[in-house]
Amino acid sequence: KFIDRTFNIQGKRMIEWMRWLMRFEGISFHFEIVGDILTDEAFDFLDTVPRGMFQFEIGVQTTGEKGQAVVKRKQKNDRLFYSIHRLVQSNKVHLHCDLIFGLPGETEGDCLKSFEELIELKPHELQLGFLKFLPGAPVRKEIENYQYRFQSFPPYEMIAHKNLPVESVIYLKKFVDIFDRFYNSKRFQFTIGHFLKTWRPVEFFNQLLRYMEENKIFNRPLS
């Protein structure tokens, strides 16, 4: 795993490194990249790499312009979505995307909108996490402005803010659990793909959530 958070900031350098690494058969390599700056030259190269040898992680965090502005994140969504689509269609590189729930000013609806926009692109894995107030993190400057409540101990995870009440966070926690069980586990790819042709993604996973709660199997391990 390469720990550079922006491995493709120099596109030609990324290609040179990956071409050199291709000599190591049987080893897989993980990179964190910036999704909206991948070039057409990079895509042409990535179409030639061995399937499964490389994994890309794209920290999307949010597709909402409001949340992006507060955390001073510059992201071209159109280009980002194009990049994800190209990588998924090529299916040579395993694609892992991240979203963060609880960013300043974002509501429950904003969180779910980001989720739906990404899941429709069908990344191989989509990690849904919650904002953390690590010591020294710039987002700590927004604690008073957005009336944040968060854990006073590691991992310092947010509990609520003025636009996202505790009830919404509890629901989103359950939603994430269901999503991990059924999507990220990769055990139901065909079935989920079939349902998502006609169901909105949020409603589909909400149905699973309701069923498990109504039948009191939400917190039980499932075979």
Side-chain angles (χ1 to χ4, degrees), residues 55-60 80-81 83-89 91 93-99 114-128 179 182-186 189 192-193 196 201 205:
Q55 175 173 317
F56 283 170
E57 180 176 342
I58 299 178
V60 179
L80 172 68
F81 295 163
S83 296
I84 294 172
H85 174 75
R86 275 288 304 262
L87 291 170
V88 171
Q89 290 300 308
N91 201 31
V93 176
H94 180 86
L95 184 59
H96 174 119
C97 294
D98 294 338
L99 279 177
S114 288
F115 167 78
E116 286 215 315
E117 288 180 335
L118 269 189
I119 199 62
E120 287 177 359
L121 296 169
K122 301 179 177 64
H124 301 113
E125 187 173 349
L126 176 55
Q127 181 178 334
L128 308 176
F179 182 72
F182 291 95
Y183 186 90
N184 283 335
S185 69
K186 301 178 178 62
Q189 291 175 299
I192 291 176
L196 293 186
F205 290 106

Side-chain angles (χ1 to χ4, degrees), residues 6 42 45 51-52 62 97 118 148 163 179 195 204 209 218:
T6 54
F45 166 72
R51 179 174 283 113
T62 178
C97 294
L118 269 189
Y148 269 104
N163 304 108
F179 182 72
F195 276 110
F204 172 71
L209 173 54
F218 186 82

Side-chain angles (χ1 to χ4, degrees), residues 8 11-12 14-15 35-44 46 79 82-83 86:
N8 64 319
K12 292 185 182 298
M14 179 195 79
I15 292 172
D36 60 352
I37 64 170
L38 282 171
T39 63
D40 290 335
E41 181 184 5
F43 287 124
D44 291 341
L46 293 171
R79 184 67 190 183
Y82 170 77
S83 296
R86 275 288 304 262

Side-chain angles (χ1 to χ4, degrees), residues 151-167:
Q151 296 170 334
S152 60
F153 49 85
Y156 308 104
E157 190 170 282
M158 66 91 59
I159 296 171
H161 64 62
K162 68 179 182 180
N163 304 108
L164 194 69
V166 170
E167 294 78 15

Side-chain angles (χ1 to χ4, degrees), residues 130-169:
F130 291 82
L131 184 65
K132 295 177 176 62
F133 288 84
L134 301 176
V139 74
R140 280 182 171 255
K141 297 176 182 177
E142 305 296 339
I143 291 173
E144 290 188 12
N145 291 340
Y146 292 92
Q147 299 169 23
Y148 269 104
R149 283 177 283 165
F150 62 95
Q151 296 170 334
S152 60
F153 49 85
Y156 308 104
E157 190 170 282
M158 66 91 59
I159 296 171
H161 64 62
K162 68 179 182 180
N163 304 108
L164 194 69
V166 170
E167 294 78 15
S168 290
V169 174

